[in-house]
Structures are given as C-alpha cells and as structure tokens.
Amino acid sequence: MQGSENIVRKAVRKYGKGRENLLPILQMVRKEHNYLSEDQLREIATEMDLSSADVYGVATFYSFMDMQPKGKNIIRICKTITCFMKGKDSIVSALEDALGIKMGETTPDRKFSLLEANCIGWCHKGPAMLINDKVYTELTPEKAVQALDEYM
Amino acid sequence: MVMTREEKLARINAHQERVNLIFEKIDSLGLLGKVMKLENSKILEYIKESGLKGRGGAGFPTYLKWKLAADQKSDMKYVICNADEGEPGTFKDRKILEEQADKVFAGMAICAKVIGAPEGYVYLRGEYNYLVPLLTTKMNAFNDEMNKLGLNFTLKLRSGSGAYICGEETALIESMEGYRGEARNKPPYPVEKGYLGKPTVINNVETLVYCTMIVLNEGGKFKTFGTEISAGSKVFSVSGDADVEGIYELELGMTIQEFVDLFGDGDTKAVQVGGASGFCVPRKKFKETIIGFEGVPTGGSMMLFNSTRSMYHILMNYMEFMQEESCGQCTPCRVGCQQLVKGIQAIKHKKRPATYLDDLVKLAKSMRVASKCGLGQSVANPFISIVENFREEIIY
Ligand code: SF4
Ligand code: FES
C-alpha cells in the first residue's frame, strides 16, 4: 500500500488537516486512485485525526466518491426526465452492447464503468452523458459508441 | 394562436433583446472599482428598491438577507455562491457561469463589501467539473483585480460530489465543512451561523448577477420588469417537448399559456414548473396560472410534455429522483419517498385499488409538514399536482 499512502499524505499536505478540507482530500485521492479503498479511508482518518467511521460515513454519502474499484473512465448517463423522454434507454443499450457489460458494471480490462446519473444540466440537448468530466450531448446510439474511441 | 417556429423565434429574440441583463456583455470587473466607492447603505437601497428575490427558487428578498448578515457582529463572515443547481430540467447557472463568471464574482464582491466578508466560495456541482479550469482562471484574474483595488476579498472554488441535496443551503454548508450533506435545522439561519459557525450569505448564481446589474445600473432596468409581487426578469431553462429549447431570460408575470404559445410544440398538455420539486400545470389551467411568486414560483426549470407522454412515467421518474437524492436523515422524507414510489407502482400493477392513491396523497401532504428541509417538503408539489390532474394516467 506504499503507493496509496503517498496519495493520502500528498492530499492532506496539499489541503491541510482541517475538517473543512475533507471533501477536497477525498476528491483528490478518489481521482488519483480511481476509487476510495477502506485502507485509504482509514489512513485519511488517522492523518486528519478523525474516526474512520466518520470518514467512511462522509465518503459513502456522495455518489461520485466511488467505494468500489471502477474503470479508468467513468461513463455517467443521465436518466432524468428529459433525457429519458429523448431516448436514453437506446443509448444505454448501445453502450452495454459495445462494452459487453450491463449498467453499473466495469469492463474486465478496467477501462470503463457504466453508471447512471441524475440530471447533468444538458436537458435541452438530451440525451446527455458525462465521460469523466467531459460532456456529450444530443446523443444517438452511434454517437455514444463513437465517443468511446477517445478513451480506447 | 399558433405560430410557426420562425415566428416564435422572432418573438423570443425580440424579448431577449429587450430583457437583457444576465447575458449582456459588460466590463464588470472594470466597473467594480466604481461600485466599491459607494456607501453600503446606498448599495442596500438599490437592492431593496429593485425588489429582487432569490432566484434559486425559495424567493427570499435578497436585500433582507444581506442586511441581516451585515448587522451581525463577527470576526469573520463569508459569501457563498450556490452553483450547485441540480433541479432536473435546470441548466441556466451552467451557462451563466460559462459566459458571465465575472458578473457572478462581482456580485459576490459587492455582497462581501456590504456585509464585511473577506472570503468567498463558489460551490460548484460535481457534474460541472469541466468548468473548473475556466472558473479557476477567471477567479485568479478576479483575485488579482481585488488586490489591485486594494480590497480585502478572496474567492475560492469548491467542488461538489454528486449530491442534489447540497443545493439546499444548510446541506451545502455541512458539505463544505467536511460532513455528509445533510440539511440542518433552521433557525439558526446561515446569515447568523453559517460556514464554520460564522455569518454567511449564500446566494444563487443568477441572483448574484442581478445584484451586479442592479447596483451598476443604480436600480435601473430591472425594476421596470415583472409584476408587483414578482419584480424583474429571470432566466428559464426550457426543455422537453418544446419547439424552442434552451436558456432564455424572460420577464416574470407571464401566464403559462403565453409561455406555451412561445415555446411549446402545439400539443402541450402539461408544464412542470420548477423541476422535480415544482408544480405540474395541466392545460386547463394554462391561462390562469402566472409564472412568478403570485402563481407558480420556479428556480427556472420549465419542462413541457405533449399528449404522447404518460404522466405516470413522468411522476415515477420524479419520485425515483427524490428517493435517490433524499439525504435520508429524517423519516418522513426517507421512508415517504420510498413508499410513494412503491405505492404508485402497486396501483399501476393492480396490486392496490385506485383509492389507495388518496392515501398516498395524504402521505405526501404529511411529508410537506413533517419533513425537515425543502426537499422532503416539496415532494408533495409534483406528486399532488400530477396525481390530481392526471389521475387516470396514474391508475390505468
Ligand atoms: S427532508 Fe429529506 S433531504 Fe431534507 S433533511 Fe429530511 S431526509 Fe434529508
Ligand atoms: S434531464 Fe438529462 S441532463 Fe437534465
């Protein structure tokens, strides 16, 4: 766990030990490591002088703080109403077929995880999805599958 | 009155040109120096006279919020820009931040001057993380500008992590303090005890831009728009079965009928005003319903549904959203949301009689009074307005 120790220490050094820095620290560790392991949460707790249950409770509250190993690239498809109306189901099927996994799963090579999200703020150009922090709008099944190329 | 798409666009454009405050290009940072020389009482007077109410949805008078925070005695105060818009169907703040971040920051600086806050934060929703580089650059330039003006105010950026409830101001504070984003009891209000226990003003992105424009124009144009109760203009996000989708600044006080004539596809049967926590207005009430605090208040989300849509699916989608996004802290909301989802499914699948719907309405009503924060309290809005107006579609 040498590697993860470094990430945690680095994050705590960057933001400081104050409680109000817990989210930025979790975000940084999550980003560099792709998910938050229990070991890392314990380490963050020790470093910041908090109880591990407390840190765990905070991390699990937020949907972007993944607690299970995820793919390198995270696809989040909006499932809220206007994207739903504009055919997000066909986008999901196309991506499931292209990646060979079901919604919620990660490809065996750990390149992609396929997740649903609530409204991502592009309702007028739905269906919409995020891959990591990048937005894809007005999707068709073909466009959605093509978008994967950038991350292959 | 049926207009072609071109006619609608021409009308909307004419309106946009007249009511153009949010997206008007101005040198707000340049003008800040001038504003900073104004007396605080003068600034408060402009905001008061404008009649501006918070544009996040709750509609608290902005003047009062600032005044209450200004009156607090404290060694530290904060200004927070709530950029955690998450109401389904809302995307106006994203565009405002993309195009007018300077005006947002200027609004924060004006507020900071009035209340005496040396620090400010923009709390940006995680879904908008791609805006971080742009906002960071602009924020650095802004902080330099404040330095040059010799003003003691620094802005910082915080990111959310995918929790709708953090748009609720006390949940937002909890999140900024490193806790689960669970709503707090009010009072105390953030203007008394906010971030790190200090007096804090939390304003929506759009509200802050209006503050900038109102102070720069010395009241000006803003007051001339809207109605007695709903002063000014407001930015709307239009989506769904619409001929013309997108982000538009409109005067408050128009009827839903006028709105539908401009944006609808000719077959609109319902408009959901204010997203999953707002109200559903059926066609028969279009003419009598005013968009504004005297009718249907809204944070800006306007979703149109035409007659091909099943209101059952729409209601289910909203209720599943609420169920997922409830912070889970209080029972009426946590359990109530789950029971509403299960309940309408059971009725649809004939596992419960149609009269069960009345029990669900009662449950929604009790959530309105028994829930701790706005999320649980507002579940009844879509639930009751959809169930009452589209009862058959829910049952059969
Ligand atoms: S009403 Fe819902 S969101 Fe608000 S505090 Fe209660 S459980 Fe949390
Ligand atoms: S409903 Fe999908 S982005 Fe808003």
Side-chain angles (χ1 to χ4, degrees):
Chain A
M1 275 283 123
Q2 188 58 40
S4 78
E5 238 180 86
N6 286 335
I7 297 167
V8 168
R9 292 243 171 86
K10 216 164 84 186
V12 176
R13 213 178 319 116
K14 177 165 177 201
Y15 290 101
K17 288 179 193 268
R19 170 92 198 208
E20 67 279 13
N21 302 314
L22 182 55
L23 245 68
I25 289 169
L26 289 169
Q27 283 164 345
M28 179 169 161
V29 176
R30 150 77 192 73
K31 192 166 180 183
E32 293 209 10
H33 190 70
N34 271 334
Y35 81 107
L36 292 159
S37 68
E38 285 189 14
D39 283 343
Q40 285 171 332
L41 293 180
R42 265 195 292 270
E43 249 187 271
I44 293 175
T46 315
E47 288 281 323
M48 298 183 78
D49 203 14
L50 297 167
S51 85
S52 7
D54 198 349
V55 174
Y56 185 83
V58 172
T60 50
F61 183 83
Y62 296 93
S63 64
F64 285 11
M65 304 278 193
D66 305 286
M67 305 299 297
Q68 296 297 323
K70 286 273 151 62
K72 189 161 176 291
N73 303 295
I74 299 204
I75 308 170
R76 295 177 202 275
I77 303 169
C78 172
K79 62 168 178 181
T80 322
I81 193 72
T82 46
C83 290
F84 164 82
M85 282 161 56
K86 287 174 188 174
K88 70 102 187 159
D89 284 348
S90 66
I91 310 300
V92 171
S93 321
L95 288 171
E96 283 180 340
D97 286 349
L99 296 167
I101 52 171
K102 289 274 162 232
M103 180 52 76
E105 294 176 350
T106 299
T107 53
D109 63 2
R110 294 224 179 284
K111 259 197 183 144
F112 293 100
S113 292
L114 189 59
L115 304 175
E116 281 180 325
N118 279 322
C119 186
I120 57 173
W122 288 89
C123 331
H124 58 321
K125 291 195 190 307
M129 68 176 179
L130 285 168
I131 300 186
N132 306 328
D133 287 341
K134 190 167 170 191
V135 190
Y136 297 83
T137 58
E138 293 175 298
L139 292 171
T140 58
E142 299 73 42
K143 264 175 87 174
V145 173
Q146 261 170 29
L148 300 177
D149 289 346
E150 290 175 48
Y151 304 88
M152 287 299 184
Chain B
M1 182 182 42
V2 184
M3 289 182 264
T4 64
R5 188 162 185 275
E6 282 60 41
E7 280 168 341
K8 289 179 188 174
L9 277 172
R11 283 231 188 173
I12 293 167
N13 283 341
H15 189 100
Q16 298 294 289
E17 273 163 35
R18 196 169 60 85
V19 186
N20 180 23
L21 289 166
I22 293 280
F23 296 105
E24 190 192 347
K25 299 235 175 339
I26 57 160
D27 173 18
S28 42
L29 293 194
L31 290 164
L32 209 48
K34 187 178 120 195
V35 172
M36 289 307 185
K37 292 196 191 87
L38 288 175
E39 292 281 334
N40 286 344
S41 57
K42 194 79 206 160
I43 295 177
L44 277 173
E45 202 177 294
Y46 288 144
I47 308 263
K48 184 179 183 182
E49 275 176 11
S50 74
L52 175 64
K53 291 180 184 167
R55 291 305 194 232
F60 192 76
T62 306
Y63 148 79
L64 204 55
K65 198 183 255 189
W66 288 19
K67 175 91 172 65
L68 288 169
D71 289 344
Q72 295 287 321
K73 303 250 170 306
S74 175
D75 54 340
M76 189 64 195
K77 292 183 188 178
Y78 296 97
V79 178
I80 297 174
C81 167
N82 184 345
D84 193 22
E85 76 177 341
E87 196 59 63
T90 314
F91 36 95
K92 64 180 177 76
D93 291 348
R94 167 176 59 73
K95 189 163 173 204
I96 298 174
L97 287 165
E98 266 169 14
E99 293 184 13
Q100 301 292 346
D102 283 351
K103 270 161 131 176
V104 179
F105 300 162
M108 294 179 78
I110 297 170
C111 176
K113 168 180 154 63
V114 170
I115 70 165
E119 245 177 71
Y121 289 88
V122 173
Y123 188 96
L124 181 74
R125 69 187 301 226
E127 288 83 347
Y128 292 172
N129 268 345
Y130 62 92
L131 286 175
V132 168
L134 172 87
L135 291 179
T136 310
T137 312
K138 296 220 160 199
M139 209 173 255
N140 290 339
F142 169 85
N143 284 336
D144 286 348
E145 191 67 28
M146 294 309 288
N147 252 331
K148 265 190 253 156
L149 290 171
L151 293 164
N152 176 26
F153 180 60
T154 316
L155 269 187
K156 292 177 188 161
L157 187 64
R158 293 294 290 266
S159 259
S161 273
Y164 164 74
I165 183 64
C166 292
E168 198 279 338
E169 55 183 13
T170 59
L172 187 154
I173 292 172
E174 288 285 304
S175 171
M176 279 191 47
E177 290 182 0
Y179 296 92
R180 297 161 69 91
E182 290 174 341
R184 292 178 181 170
N185 282 325
K186 292 197 265 193
Y189 291 91
V191 285
E192 303 155 47
K193 256 173 143 318
Y195 182 50
L196 303 178
K198 304 294 180 187
T200 304
V201 164
I202 305 185
N203 278 147
N204 170 263
V205 171
E206 185 186 342
T207 311
L208 288 162
V209 178
Y210 278 126
C211 289
T212 304
M213 294 310 281
I214 289 164
V215 177
L216 281 182
N217 297 334
E218 302 174 352
K221 215 162 138 188
F222 186 85
K223 286 189 285 205
T224 64
F225 299 138
T227 65
E228 180 87 30
I229 298 168
S230 307
S233 45
K234 148 122 214 55
V235 188
F236 290 89
S237 324
V238 184
S239 67
D241 297 312
D243 247 3
V244 187
E245 289 180 86
I247 295 152
Y248 302 94
E249 188 174 10
L250 304 171
E251 230 177 298
L252 283 174
M254 73 198 290
T255 65
I256 300 270
Q257 185 65 55
E258 290 169 306
F259 178 86
V260 166
D261 288 341
L262 278 180
F263 296 95
D265 65 357
D267 184 27
T268 310
K269 77 167 171 189
V271 181
Q272 179 76 17
V273 182
S277 64
F279 294 88
C280 179
V281 183
R283 188 184 283 152
K284 64 175 185 285
K285 292 190 187 145
F286 284 176
K287 284 207 177 74
E288 68 195 53
T289 310
I290 289 174
I291 306 170
F293 298 104
E294 57 268 73
V296 275
T298 170
S301 165
M302 301 292 279
M303 286 186 261
L304 293 94
F305 304 116
N306 69 19
S307 59
T308 67
R309 304 294 170 190
S310 147
M311 295 309 283
Y312 169 77
H313 286 133
I314 290 161
L315 181 61
M316 268 303 277
N317 194 291
Y318 288 152
M319 290 303 121
E320 281 173 358
F321 172 81
M322 291 301 203
Q323 168 188 302
E324 274 172 32
E325 299 292 351
S326 162
C327 83
Q329 191 188 176
C330 65
T331 316
C333 169
R334 182 186 64 246
V335 180
C337 287
Q338 293 171 4
Q339 292 308 319
L340 290 179
V341 169
K342 282 191 204 153
I344 45 178
Q345 266 172 335
I347 293 168
K348 194 72 171 179
H349 298 124
K350 305 279 176 284
K351 296 211 173 74
R352 290 275 182 175
T355 49
Y356 188 54
L357 209 46
D358 303 322
D359 295 328
L360 295 178
V361 167
K362 274 190 216 143
L363 170 61
K365 282 187 180 155
S366 53
M367 288 169 70
R368 183 177 272 159
V369 288
S371 297
K372 184 169 170 180
C373 86
L375 190 150
Q377 289 158 9
S378 65
V379 167
N381 301 345
F383 192 83
I384 297 176
S385 58
I386 294 179
V387 163
E388 282 184 348
N389 290 306
F390 297 95
R391 201 179 163 92
E392 311 72 48
E393 290 189 34
I394 307 301
I395 300 171
Y396 304 107

